[in-house]
Amino acid sequence: MNLELQQFKADFFKALAHPLRIRILELLCEGDKNVNELQTLIGSEGSAVSQQLAVLRNKNIVYGTKDGNRVVYPLRDPMIKELLAIARQIFNNHLIDTISMLDKFNDEAE
């Protein structure tokens, strides 16, 4: 069971390991969107957005639902929003540590 869980986690984080996929997820945290909406918000070609959505769909991170002639993409699990917020906080913590280290270095240099 542990190995299966570790494999799931590895596959899950691989699916997140692309800046465009992260941006798509951040936008989907704000609400469901179709490819055209995502393309406009990101400023990227539709094919690039579609390719990244396919990766996210294949890993069951998002899913598509038909809305007339459009496919709308919601997050499969709302905890993705929390995960991205935690990742942002970890990033901020790293920045704070780096700034503190630079300040200390500058103080020692004077």
Side-chain angles (χ1 to χ4, degrees), residues 1-106:
M1 180 66 168
N2 255 354
L3 185 57
E4 291 172 5
L5 178 58
Q6 291 165 349
Q7 187 62 52
F8 170 82
K9 288 177 182 180
D11 291 342
F12 178 78
F13 284 113
K14 280 183 206 173
L16 298 181
H18 191 283
L20 184 53
R21 290 195 289 265
I22 295 294
R23 183 66 184 129
I24 289 169
L25 292 174
E26 289 172 342
L27 290 168
L28 293 179
C29 285
E30 298 169 4
D32 304 352
K33 297 189 178 29
N34 64 42
V35 173
N36 291 333
E37 291 171 315
L38 290 167
Q39 177 184 349
T40 300
L41 292 167
I42 293 169
S44 180
E45 295 181 20
S47 61
V49 170
S50 294
Q51 289 171 356
Q52 300 309 327
L53 279 168
V55 172
L56 295 170
R57 268 194 330 269
N58 289 337
K59 294 299 179 184
N60 291 316
I61 296 171
V62 302
Y63 63 98
T65 57
K66 278 288 225 183
D67 181 21
N69 61 351
R70 303 177 312 156
V71 177
V72 177
Y73 293 92
L75 297 173
R76 183 165 298 278
D77 191 325
M79 290 185 74
I80 295 290
K81 188 173 185 176
E82 292 176 47
L83 178 67
L84 294 174
I86 289 168
R88 177 182 292 268
Q89 186 59 49
I90 292 168
F91 175 76
N92 289 343
N93 291 343
H94 282 276
L95 284 178
I96 290 168
D97 290 345
T98 302
I99 290 168
S100 296
M101 193 169 31
L102 284 172
D103 287 344
K104 184 177 179 182
F105 178 75
N106 286 334

